[in-house]
Amino acid sequence: MAEQDLLSNDEFLLDDDIFAEDNFSTPKAQNKPLKDISFFQQLPVQVTLELASAEMCLGELTRMGEGDVIALDRMVGEPLDIRVNGALLGKGEVVEVGGRYGVRLLEVEDIGLGGASD
């Protein structure tokens, strides 16, 4: 490479001010408007009432027949778990409403919306 091809430092025109802090402005904090979440209030969710459970081996299950009883891990009258899309919402009890089963909420877990208002 010939010496005439090399550039001297004087030939580089750098504006030192482009790196000054004034040129890098930080975004100004703005009050974000609250998001309208009414759309989400209309989304269907799967509500599951978990009365009780039992653990058994497959062999026991295949030997069961009509009239056999599976012993569950809850006592009669003990509250059942209420789950929404698999997440625990709270506890409840079975009630009868107009000839149909229903559930009365006894306890609701402290659930947040995880920043839905951000």
Side-chain angles (χ1 to χ4, degrees):
M1 196 181 285
E3 285 185 33
Q4 67 265 21
D5 292 338
L6 296 176
L7 298 174
S8 68
N9 285 342
D10 294 336
E11 294 176 308
F12 287 108
L13 298 177
L14 292 179
D15 186 359
D16 291 337
D17 290 338
I18 65 170
F19 297 110
E21 284 188 33
D22 294 341
N23 291 330
F24 293 104
S25 62
T26 56
K28 294 183 174 116
Q30 299 174 357
N31 292 333
K32 293 181 184 177
L34 292 177
K35 294 179 183 157
D36 180 15
I37 62 170
S38 61
F39 167 78
F40 296 105
Q41 294 174 351
Q42 298 173 17
L43 290 176
V45 293
Q46 181 70 41
V47 177
T48 304
L49 305 176
E50 190 175 286
L51 179 62
S53 63
E55 188 173 315
M56 58 182 16
C57 64
L58 186 57
E60 289 176 292
L61 187 60
T62 58
R63 288 191 295 275
M64 295 195 75
E66 203 171 302
D68 288 342
V69 175
I70 299 173
L72 301 175
D73 62 357
R74 297 252 175 117
M75 302 293 291
V76 173
E78 192 174 344
L80 52 88
D81 289 341
I82 302 168
R83 297 186 178 275
V84 176
N85 289 346
L88 183 65
L89 172 72
K91 304 255 183 216
E93 66 180 352
V94 177
V95 295
E96 187 249 328
V97 180
R100 295 180 179 218
Y101 289 115
V103 65
R104 175 181 292 124
L105 287 173
L106 300 175
E107 176 183 322
V108 177
E109 293 291 313
D110 184 22
I111 53 174
L113 294 178
S117 62
D118 286 345

